[in-house]
Amino acid sequence: MAHPSQLGFQDAASPIMEELLHFHDHAIMIVFLISALVLYIISLMMSTKLTHTNTMDAQEVEMIWTILPAIILILIALPSLRILYLMDEINNPHLTIKALGHQWYWSYEYTDYEDLMFDSYMIPTQDLQQGSFRLLEVDHRMVVPMESPIRMLISAEDVLHSWAVPALGIKTDAIPGRLNQTTFITSHPGLFYGQCSEICGSNHSFMPIVVEAVPLKHFEDWSTTMLTA
């Protein structure tokens, strides 16, 4: 959950998000070192009138400033490709959930169960309980078992939407007539908030996402309650 005046990412709640945070720190450090070097060279050129004539036509210098950027790009690309393949990898999911975007709410269907589906609407401000988050709380949360691979099938019924939960490292477009797939594992129990991240009409800001990760025993009790309700 983000907090006021936060500059960085939210705390990671899935292994993929932890990898993304590590890659972000890795890339930012490279950018910082390059920026510091360029700033030093610019300040050096502006503060001295001396010119090194030996470097005006030096093949060695040209080779260095050609090869060094290539090496830097490889150092950025390799971990990036690794994470990209990890995000696309789906190995024997324990649960499959279909999320369908509407104007302006989400509906969820647990496809491993015969009749477990519900709509998830934002709770209006006047109906919020004390301590709830305005514009983020919903009447029916998407409950998942923690430490279990979850496969999400995401689509839309009317216009473009985007199912995004920053703490889980997920942002997948919901496109009418197309079924997109993603996967995640929650590393600890908790509530993880997200919102539609594709402008989808006048009430785009009012279709939040709430993922509730619970132990497996609690998930079984919840699913039994929902099926018998």
Side-chain angles (χ1 to χ4, degrees):
M1 181 67 193
H3 55 78
S5 69
Q6 179 175 340
L7 298 179
F9 292 101
Q10 297 183 24
D11 293 336
S14 69
I16 288 295
M17 189 58 187
E18 292 178 3
E19 293 287 343
L20 289 172
L21 290 179
H22 292 157
F23 174 69
H24 169 265
D25 296 341
H26 169 73
I28 284 295
M29 183 55 65
I30 293 176
V31 172
F32 174 78
L33 293 176
I34 294 174
S35 302
L37 177 62
V38 171
L39 182 63
Y40 169 74
I41 294 174
I42 291 176
S43 61
L44 199 64
M45 293 178 62
M46 295 182 64
S47 60
T48 179
K49 296 182 180 179
L50 298 178
T51 301
H52 297 280
T53 56
N54 292 334
T55 61
M56 297 299 291
D57 186 21
Q59 296 295 326
E60 293 81 5
V61 175
E62 293 184 4
M63 290 181 60
I64 290 174
W65 71 42
T66 301
I67 295 175
L68 189 59
I71 295 175
I72 293 174
L73 289 177
I74 292 174
L75 291 176
I76 296 176
L78 290 180
S80 174
L81 291 173
R82 173 178 172 271
I83 296 175
L84 186 63
Y85 279 100
L86 284 175
M87 294 176 71
D88 285 338
E89 190 72 24
I90 298 178
N91 290 321
N92 300 322
H94 295 175
L95 185 67
T96 299
I97 304 174
K98 181 179 178 182
L100 195 62
H102 308 266
Q103 288 183 311
W104 288 270
Y105 65 95
W106 295 95
S107 61
Y108 298 102
E109 178 183 351
Y110 289 69
T111 59
D112 298 289
Y113 295 83
E114 185 175 351
D115 191 22
L116 181 50
M117 60 186 71
F118 53 85
D119 297 330
S120 180
Y121 290 88
M122 185 194 75
I123 299 178
T125 303
Q126 62 271 18
D127 297 334
L128 285 174
Q129 297 181 357
Q130 189 172 5
S132 298
F133 296 106
R134 190 178 73 89
L135 302 182
L136 287 177
E137 196 57 70
V138 296
D139 55 356
H140 291 97
R141 297 167 177 168
M142 192 188 87
V143 182
V144 298
M146 58 175 284
E147 298 180 343
S148 297
I150 309 297
R151 176 173 58 186
M152 293 295 303
L153 302 176
I154 300 169
S155 185
E157 190 181 58
D158 36 45
V159 298
L160 291 176
H161 300 280
S162 183
W163 201 82
V165 183
L168 300 177
I170 295 178
K171 185 182 183 297
T172 304
D173 288 340
I175 304 172
R178 179 170 177 173
L179 203 60
N180 288 330
Q181 180 176 253
T182 188
T183 183
F184 67 89
I185 301 174
T186 55
S187 53
H188 58 268
L191 292 176
F192 311 112
Y193 294 89
Q195 290 177 303
C196 176
S197 296
E198 187 75 41
I199 296 178
C200 56
S202 59
N203 290 335
H204 158 68
S205 302
F206 307 118
M207 49 183 304
I209 301 161
V210 182
V211 178
E212 182 176 0
V214 298
L216 180 59
K217 179 64 171 62
H218 294 177
F219 174 78
E220 292 175 345
D221 294 341
W222 172 84
S223 60
T224 302
T225 303
M226 292 292 291
L227 289 171
T228 56

